[in-house]
């Protein structure tokens, strides 16, 4: 009998413990849900951490441009400011924004549009009424309320004229200046799956978050769509390689004096993504900086101990791209007509590195300013095979002419599509295949004039190795990576203007925004089992102070600037001439008025422009 009583008491005690445990678990789960479960699949960038602190750090680094009221960056800055300003004196909301668990995602919302989504863990004891009054300030009754999927959504207008939509769903505050994003987040939250059920990504994000105050995550398939918001439609289709680069990368974000550092890991979740092609390869030692001219404003390099192994993997990944498919068709036809295996022969001379470099030029034209570098095992063997290819193509024709320029030779390999067929879409910018040799690198360009300029630089000692120590430090980091990208934004304004849409071009024209950044560096290394190390570093600077002037007027062009502006004086009047990419010459008077336009057949460079003034 005693045994039965004792057994009953123990059973009741266990049931009581389970009930109490379930109660506290339910309360905890009600108060704090996982904001990651509400992230929509369209999120291209995600930042986790104290939003007030991150905004302030980005402001110190010069990311925010107060003069920019047009571009996507300007809109993002304004949304942060409005939300922070309207909650600064209200501890209930301010505490949420300063939570280390707060998420902000950026995603495309339409043609040339993208917006932020704010996700914050919200304790149950913060009521909707409190939030609404906090956000509305002195206008607590001016709001609209509607239901969506069993949740209440509130729409309010801030005094600045911006509409903000928010809801509290399963313990998460969801807010955005685009109402559809709030609905997307609620819909995604109902699935109960953080990062859409990607367990590898969940584990990686959790691991990086555990040791970092601030985290940034990049969704590469969506990142290409995000970039397209600021680019013209002709260039947006060039972003395919970015969309298939990888699945995600997750980084610990730190801020130092004049530097933003993001160190972390890159993850491939699809065998057709480019990073997965690094699995069977070993990183080589990059030597590209030894042959780049000081005129280089950006470069990317692939470096592997067995370059041809990577080429095989890369071709599989890039075969889905229409530009690469067209290049392969072109080269296949050339090989068939010549009866010669051009690709297989060319692959035999390749050593351990291939790269693209962009040279600085006022026009910013990519086709006319890009160089391709192929490291070869032997200069002698390379020239011999290149000669054999030329002979096979022309059969009984004359061999390609050789131009002697200074101490270099410039030749032409008339094979359309060879480089993109072997190395991917980014190399499709090289079509003409004029080339020379510098050290152990074949150097390709579309025009011999670009090679002449390159030769003048390298023979004159104007190499990137002569750059300041701060830039040398960035270049040094690329020596032992599978992939590295380095951009000098301060030198890239003409390039960005040539590929940007009208809104972004106007922003760049109105400010010296890019001059705030001395370098952007990105690298991938040690990829094993579709996961590797990934780092990017943004180095900022204070633009050189300029002499204070008074702006009298501003003129905007709907087309890309090709040449100029040039200033002339006649009869005590000042005239300004510039030529756009349609070869139209424009004349402005000293008050900024359009005096006339003239359609020309060619560039005005080298011509007597004063003769056009009338």
């Amino acid at each position: 009998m005693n045994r039965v009583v004792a057994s009953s008491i123990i059973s009741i005690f266990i049931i009581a413990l389970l009930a109490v445990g379930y109660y506290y678990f339910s309360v905890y789960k009600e108060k704090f849900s996982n904001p990651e479960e509400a992230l929509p699949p369209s999120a291209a960038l995600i930042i986790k951490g104290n939003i007030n602190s991150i905004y302030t750090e980005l402001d110190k680094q010069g990311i925010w441009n107060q003069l920019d009221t047009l571009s996507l960056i300007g809109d993002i800055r304004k949304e942060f400011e409005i939300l922070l300003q309207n909650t600064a004196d209200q501890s209930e909301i301010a505490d949420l924004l300063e939570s280390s668990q707060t998420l902000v995602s950026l995603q495309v919302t339409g043609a040339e549009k993208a917006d932020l989504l704010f996700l914050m863990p919200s304790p149950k004891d913060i009521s909707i009424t409190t939030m609404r009054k906090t956000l509305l300030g002195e206008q607590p009754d001016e709001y609209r309320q509607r239901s969506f999927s069993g949740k209440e959504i509130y729409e309010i207008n801030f005094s600045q004229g911006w509409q903000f939509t928010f809801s509290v769903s399963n313990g998460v505050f969801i807010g955005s200046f685009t109402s559809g994003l709030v609905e997307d987040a609620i819909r995604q939250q109902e699935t109960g799956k953080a990062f859409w059920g990607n367990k590898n990504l969940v584990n990686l994000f959790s691991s990086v978050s555990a040791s970092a105050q601030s985290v940034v995550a990049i969704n590469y398939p969506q990142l290409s769509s995000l970039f397209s918001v600021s680019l013209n439609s002709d260039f947006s289709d060039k972003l395919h390689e970015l969309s298939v680069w990888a699945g995600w990368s997750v980084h610990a974000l730190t801020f130092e004096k004049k530097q933003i550092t993001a160190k972390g890991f890159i993850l491939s979740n699809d065998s057709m993504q480019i990073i997965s092609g690094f699995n069977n390869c070993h990183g080589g030692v990059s030597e590209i900086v030894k042959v780049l001219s000081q005129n280089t404003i950006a470069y990317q390099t692939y470096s592997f101990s067995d370059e041809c192994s990577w080429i095989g993997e890369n071709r599989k990944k890039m075969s889905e791209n229409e530009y690469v498919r067209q290049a392969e068709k072109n080269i296949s036809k050339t090989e068939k007509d010549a009866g010669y295996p051009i690709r297989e022969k060319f692959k035999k001379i390749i050593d351990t590195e291939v790269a693209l470099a962009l040279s600085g030029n006022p026009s910013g034209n990519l086709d006319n300013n890009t160089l391709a570098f192929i490291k070869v095992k032997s200069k002698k063997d390379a020239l011999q095979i290149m000669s054999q290819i030329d002979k096979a193509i022309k059969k009984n024709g004359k061999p390609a002419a050789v131009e002697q320029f200074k101490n270099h030779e410039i030749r032409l390999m008339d094979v359309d599509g060879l480089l993109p067929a072997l190395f991917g879409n980014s190399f499709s910018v090289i079509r003409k295949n004029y080339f020379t040799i510098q050290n152990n690198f074949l150097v390709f360009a579309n025009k011999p004039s670009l090679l002449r300029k390159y030769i003048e630089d390298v023979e004159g000692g104007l190499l990137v190795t002569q750059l300041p120590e701060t830039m040398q430090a960035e270049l040094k980091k690329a020596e032992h990576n599978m992939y590295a990208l380095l951009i000098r934004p301060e030198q890239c304004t003409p390039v960005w203007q040539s590929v940007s849409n009208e809104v972004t071009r106007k922003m760049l024209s109105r400010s010296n925004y890019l001059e705030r950044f001395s370098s952007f560096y990105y690298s991938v290394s040690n990829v094993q089992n579709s996961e590797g190390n990934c780092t990017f570093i943004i180095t900022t600077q204070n633009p050189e102070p300029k002499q204070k002037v008074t702006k009298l007027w501003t003129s905007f062009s709907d087309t890309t600037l090709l040449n100029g502006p040039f200033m002339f004086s006649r009869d005590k009047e000042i005239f300004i001439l510039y030529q756009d990419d349609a070869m139209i010459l424009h004349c402005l008077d000293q008050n900024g008025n359009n005096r006339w336009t003239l359609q020309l057949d060619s560039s005005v460079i080298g011509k007597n422009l004063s003769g056009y003034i009338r």
Side-chain angles (χ1 to χ4, degrees):
M1 183 70 175
N2 291 336
R3 184 178 300 174
V4 173
V5 172
S7 177
S8 300
I9 293 174
I10 291 173
S11 298
I12 293 171
F13 181 70
I14 291 175
I15 293 172
L17 284 177
L18 290 174
V20 171
Y22 177 77
Y23 170 77
Y24 281 107
F25 172 77
S26 300
V27 170
Y28 176 83
K29 188 171 180 63
E30 252 191 345
K31 287 190 175 183
F32 301 102
S33 184
N34 185 0
E36 294 158 21
E37 294 177 359
L39 283 168
S42 59
L45 289 174
I46 300 168
I47 294 178
K48 181 179 182 181
N50 184 324
I51 299 305
N52 199 349
S53 175
I54 292 173
Y55 174 86
T56 302
E57 291 292 344
L58 292 175
D59 190 32
K60 291 178 182 178
Q61 298 288 347
I63 297 296
W64 310 125
N65 178 11
Q66 298 297 326
L67 297 177
D68 177 16
T69 59
L70 296 172
S71 73
L72 172 61
I73 296 176
D75 286 344
I76 292 173
R77 172 188 61 81
K78 192 64 177 177
E79 289 185 5
F80 270 120
E81 287 183 353
I82 290 174
L83 195 58
L84 292 171
Q85 288 172 3
N86 282 274
T87 59
D89 298 329
Q90 307 295 333
S91 59
E92 293 91 345
I93 306 297
D95 287 347
L96 299 185
L97 290 168
E98 294 178 1
S99 167
S100 61
Q101 302 302 310
T102 292
L103 298 178
V104 178
S105 65
L106 177 63
Q107 45 272 306
V108 173
T109 56
E112 298 188 1
K113 293 182 180 180
D115 211 344
L116 298 172
L117 174 68
F118 298 87
L119 301 171
M120 298 171 268
S122 174
K124 191 72 173 180
D125 54 7
I126 295 183
S127 67
I128 290 292
T129 302
T130 301
M131 285 188 175
R132 193 171 65 239
K133 289 182 177 180
T134 298
L135 292 170
L136 285 168
E138 297 178 356
Q139 300 171 318
D141 297 325
E142 296 186 11
Y143 71 93
R144 291 177 296 278
Q145 180 177 346
R146 58 187 173 87
S147 296
F148 176 81
S149 192
K151 309 294 181 183
E152 295 302 310
I153 292 179
Y154 302 87
E155 295 177 348
I156 61 177
N157 290 317
F158 285 120
S159 57
Q160 295 90 339
W162 291 56
Q163 179 176 291
F164 186 74
T165 303
F166 73 94
S167 179
V168 175
S169 176
N170 298 332
V172 176
F173 175 91
I174 303 171
S176 177
F177 290 87
T178 296
S179 61
L181 289 179
V182 176
E183 296 177 3
D184 289 345
I186 293 173
R187 190 181 297 112
Q188 177 59 39
Q189 190 186 52
E190 290 176 350
T191 69
K193 295 180 179 180
F195 291 110
W196 323 290
N198 187 331
K199 294 182 179 180
N200 290 336
L201 179 56
V202 170
N203 293 336
L204 181 58
F205 194 84
S206 176
S207 175
V208 175
S209 299
S211 58
Q213 290 185 339
S214 303
V215 177
V216 60
I218 302 172
N219 181 354
Y220 290 93
Q222 294 296 329
L223 187 62
S224 61
S225 299
L226 182 61
F227 278 149
S228 68
V229 170
S230 299
L231 301 177
N232 63 51
S233 57
D234 292 337
F235 189 79
S236 293
D237 57 8
K238 302 289 186 182
L239 296 173
H240 174 267
E241 197 158 314
L242 178 60
S243 68
V244 296
W245 177 250
W248 284 80
S249 62
V250 183
H251 312 260
L253 190 63
T254 57
F255 301 93
E256 304 169 41
K257 185 177 181 181
K258 297 184 178 180
Q259 183 168 295
I260 303 170
T261 302
K263 292 185 177 181
F265 305 91
I266 194 165
L267 182 67
S268 173
N269 49 26
D270 187 329
S271 62
M272 294 305 294
Q273 289 172 343
I274 295 174
I275 289 299
S276 66
F278 291 11
N279 282 329
N280 300 322
C281 303
H282 300 281
V285 178
S286 172
E287 296 184 354
I288 188 65
V289 296
K290 297 178 181 179
V291 295
L292 291 176
S293 78
Q294 198 178 71
N295 197 37
T296 302
I297 61 175
Y299 80 85
Q300 68 168 358
T301 181
Y302 296 87
S303 180
F304 298 98
S305 58
D306 183 358
E307 196 72 36
C308 287
S309 173
W310 169 75
I311 290 172
E313 291 294 327
N314 190 52
R315 286 182 66 184
K316 297 175 187 176
K317 309 294 181 293
M318 296 308 301
S319 60
E320 295 299 316
N321 181 263
E322 61 176 299
Y323 294 98
V324 175
R325 287 200 302 269
Q326 186 60 49
E328 289 179 339
K329 287 181 181 179
N330 293 342
I331 190 68
S332 295
K333 183 179 185 304
T334 303
E335 287 178 330
K336 183 178 180 180
D337 292 344
Y340 190 81
I342 296 173
R343 281 172 287 188
E344 293 307 312
K345 291 290 185 181
F346 188 79
K347 284 168 63 175
K348 289 182 178 180
I349 68 176
I350 301 173
D351 194 9
T352 59
E353 187 168 15
V354 298
L356 284 174
L358 185 63
S359 295
N361 188 291
S363 73
N365 185 287
L366 294 179
D367 291 353
N368 296 335
N369 295 289
T370 302
L371 296 164
F373 293 81
I374 315 295
K375 189 179 179 185
V376 295
K377 298 170 183 175
S378 163
K379 289 195 292 185
K380 180 181 177 180
D381 292 345
L383 284 175
Q384 184 178 0
I385 288 182
M386 298 292 274
S387 178
Q388 291 174 359
I389 292 174
D390 180 65
K391 186 177 179 180
I393 294 171
K394 296 186 176 179
K395 294 184 178 179
N396 297 325
K398 294 182 179 181
V402 179
E403 176 187 347
Q404 190 71 38
F405 184 77
K406 295 186 178 292
N407 296 318
H408 286 67
E409 293 179 343
I410 298 176
R411 303 167 185 260
L412 171 64
M413 183 181 66
D414 193 13
V415 181
D416 184 18
L418 177 61
L419 299 188
L422 289 177
F423 308 125
N425 184 44
S426 58
F427 285 80
S428 63
V429 70
I430 303 294
R431 303 296 296 268
K432 295 294 185 180
N433 297 325
Y434 287 95
F435 71 93
T436 189
I437 292 185
Q438 173 65 22
N439 294 354
N440 283 340
F441 282 85
L442 284 172
V443 186
F444 291 88
N446 286 321
K447 290 187 175 182
S449 58
L450 181 58
L451 289 178
R452 294 187 200 107
K453 178 64 173 70
Y454 169 76
I455 291 168
E456 285 181 342
D457 287 345
V458 296
E459 289 195 9
L462 299 177
L463 300 170
V464 292
T465 52
Q466 307 299 318
L467 292 172
E469 290 184 6
T470 52
M471 182 62 68
Q472 284 300 311
E474 300 299 316
L475 294 171
K476 195 73 175 175
K477 296 168 185 171
E479 287 188 357
H480 300 283
N481 293 302
M482 292 177 166
Y483 175 84
L485 168 70
L486 181 69
I487 301 174
R488 300 166 65 187
E490 60 176 326
Q491 305 291 330
C492 289
T493 297
V495 176
W496 285 116
Q497 288 178 330
S498 71
V499 302
S500 298
N501 58 25
E502 182 180 358
V503 171
T504 306
R505 280 202 305 271
K506 286 185 177 180
M507 185 273 285
L508 294 173
S509 299
R510 288 180 175 182
S511 68
N512 60 346
Y513 184 72
L514 292 180
E515 294 180 19
R516 304 178 183 197
F517 309 99
S518 61
S519 67
F520 172 84
Y521 168 78
Y522 174 95
S523 70
V524 175
S525 61
N526 301 323
V527 177
Q528 298 292 331
N529 300 318
S530 297
E531 183 177 323
N533 298 327
C534 183
T535 298
F536 70 85
I537 300 172
I538 302 173
T539 307
T540 62
Q541 63 184 6
N542 295 321
E544 290 294 326
K546 299 180 180 180
Q547 183 179 359
K548 187 174 182 180
V549 296
T550 301
K551 182 166 70 174
L552 299 178
W553 48 265
T554 301
S555 178
F556 296 103
S557 173
D558 293 329
T559 54
T560 301
L561 184 69
L562 179 64
N563 294 310
F566 308 101
M567 186 177 293
F568 296 91
S569 176
R570 174 176 292 181
D571 299 330
K572 298 183 179 181
E573 279 192 89
I574 295 175
F575 298 91
I576 299 163
L577 299 182
Y578 70 90
Q579 186 179 33
D580 63 25
D581 57 1
M583 299 301 170
I584 298 176
L585 188 65
H586 300 258
C587 178
L588 307 178
D589 63 21
Q590 59 192 13
N591 297 315
N593 300 312
N594 289 298
R595 293 290 291 267
W596 50 261
T597 59
L598 179 63
Q599 178 69 60
L600 300 178
D601 296 328
S602 60
S603 170
V604 297
I605 293 297
K607 298 181 180 180
N608 180 12
L609 293 179
S610 61
Y612 288 105
I613 298 177
R614 57 182 186 270

